[in-house]
Amino acid sequence: MKALLFTCMLVPWLVAASARRFDQESQLIPGSLPGRELNGYFIDHLKSRRARRALPLADEPDDSPMEGGDTSDLPTCLLCVCLTGSVYCEEVSPDMTSVPTLPKETAYLYARFNKIKKIRSKDFADIVTLKRIDLTGNMISEIEDGAFSKLTLLEELSLAENRLVKLPMLPAKLTTFNANYNQLKTKGVKANTFKKMATLINLYLAENQLEAVPRIPDSVRTLHLQNNNITEVNVDTFCRSNDTYYLRPSLSEVRMDGNPVVLSKYPDSFTCMKVLPVGRYR
């Protein structure tokens, strides 16, 4: 009877001592579980970690970036960050010289600061879900006809900081278009380029070589034309010579600073606007 009682008292003490020993050992590995939670699986896991640590350097995977070559033969989501509906391809190495092949469900593409030189008509032909494209800071000098023709859901398009001398036909439902810092001239921007874009709100054409203000739809609220070569405006630039009651209440910001035009010479050109353009008046 005494032996049985002694055994019952000894077993809990041994269990507690074992737990304390496992706890002390587990503290040697940051983030490890306390000893009482160690089981066969966890012990195997520790053995596996030690085995991996013992591998020679030559057996470890090489995560260093690729040098040289191009991206044409590599899957897009290996080069870029692909999240649900979004693809981020910014400053890709090796150099990205063309628009990558996109997953079918892509809605947002950010391919900024690469070396894309041309947008082909097939680049976006099958990605009808696109809502935003940002190609800022590339080397784009040519956009084939119809490159954006199938993008009926596209709302925002940035082609800023490229080498464009002319614009293609743009999607009708754009709300924001940015072509700042290109080489656009008036002959490269067709008279009706923006005319039918009834939802366009923000239009950025600063830092180009435009000689005249293009026709702006009534929906535009912000218009940036600073630092171009615009030499004159007239009554029909913003208002309508045949409609003295015509007003443009939406147009709340117009920047024309950095152009040769002296705006004070054309006082009748701004009567329909609630604010005067920022620019040279004397």
Side-chain angles (χ1 to χ4, degrees):
M1 185 68 179
K2 290 182 179 180
L4 178 61
L5 180 61
F6 175 76
T7 301
C8 292
M9 294 175 62
L10 181 62
V11 170
W13 181 86
L14 290 174
V15 172
S18 298
R20 284 196 298 272
R21 184 172 69 255
F22 283 137
D23 284 340
Q24 291 171 354
E25 290 177 355
S26 70
Q27 290 173 3
L28 299 176
I29 304 171
S32 61
L33 295 172
R36 60 182 173 275
E37 296 182 30
L38 284 170
N39 51 31
Y41 171 82
F42 189 62
I43 292 172
D44 290 341
H45 175 67
L46 293 180
K47 289 179 180 178
S48 176
R49 285 181 60 181
R50 293 190 188 106
R52 286 200 298 273
R53 288 189 194 131
L55 284 175
L57 293 177
D59 293 337
E60 294 182 356
D62 183 8
D63 295 330
S64 59
M66 298 175 59
E67 295 183 1
D70 58 47
T71 63
S72 58
D73 296 327
L74 296 175
T76 298
C77 293
L78 180 62
L79 294 165
C80 310
V81 176
C82 295
L83 303 176
T84 304
S86 299
V87 177
Y88 299 85
C89 303
E90 302 192 354
E91 297 183 279
V92 172
S93 178
D95 294 341
M96 178 176 285
T97 57
S98 60
V99 175
T101 302
L102 301 174
K104 294 288 186 181
E105 73 280 4
T106 303
Y108 304 96
L109 170 63
Y110 303 89
R112 298 179 288 199
F113 309 112
N114 291 294
K115 295 185 179 179
I116 299 172
K117 299 178 180 179
K118 180 179 180 179
I119 300 178
R120 301 164 297 179
S121 57
K122 66 179 182 179
D123 286 336
F124 302 117
D126 298 325
I127 316 298
V128 296
T129 52
L130 279 165
K131 295 181 179 180
R132 179 186 299 156
I133 298 175
D134 192 341
L135 296 169
T136 298
N138 279 276
M139 302 168 65
I140 301 168
S141 59
E142 181 182 356
I143 301 177
E144 290 184 357
D145 292 338
F148 304 117
S149 62
K150 295 184 179 181
L151 303 182
T152 57
L153 300 179
L154 193 67
E155 297 176 353
E156 300 179 29
L157 174 61
S158 178
L159 300 171
E161 299 178 45
N162 279 283
R163 302 177 180 179
L164 294 171
V165 296
K166 64 178 182 178
L167 293 179
M169 290 299 294
L170 299 171
K173 292 186 178 180
L174 281 183
T175 60
T176 298
F177 178 65
N178 188 344
N180 286 345
Y181 291 95
N182 275 277
Q183 301 167 21
L184 296 172
K185 295 186 176 181
T186 296
K187 65 180 180 181
V189 182
K190 296 179 181 179
N192 62 345
T193 298
F194 307 109
K195 182 180 179 181
K196 296 182 179 181
M197 298 172 67
T199 59
L200 187 64
I201 296 174
N202 304 302
L203 179 57
Y204 304 108
L205 298 171
E207 306 288 346
N208 280 283
Q209 301 172 26
L210 298 172
E211 298 92 5
V213 179
R215 297 187 65 176
I216 309 300
D218 291 348
S219 57
V220 171
R221 299 176 189 174
T222 304
L223 175 63
H224 285 188
L225 293 165
Q226 64 268 32
N227 299 320
N228 277 280
N229 294 323
I230 299 170
T231 56
E232 65 176 7
V233 294
N234 57 54
V235 176
D236 291 309
T237 300
F238 298 108
C239 306
R240 295 177 183 175
S241 58
N242 60 352
D243 186 355
T244 57
Y245 295 99
Y246 175 73
L247 297 174
R248 295 193 74 135
S250 297
L251 192 56
S252 57
E253 181 182 334
V254 180
R255 288 196 56 183
M256 297 187 66
D257 43 312
N259 284 279
V261 62
V262 180
L263 298 175
S264 59
K265 293 183 177 181
Y266 309 94
D268 295 335
S269 298
F270 315 115
T271 55
C272 65
M273 300 165 60
K274 64 178 183 181
V275 296
L276 289 173
V278 176
R280 182 184 174 193
Y281 283 88
R282 59 180 181 179

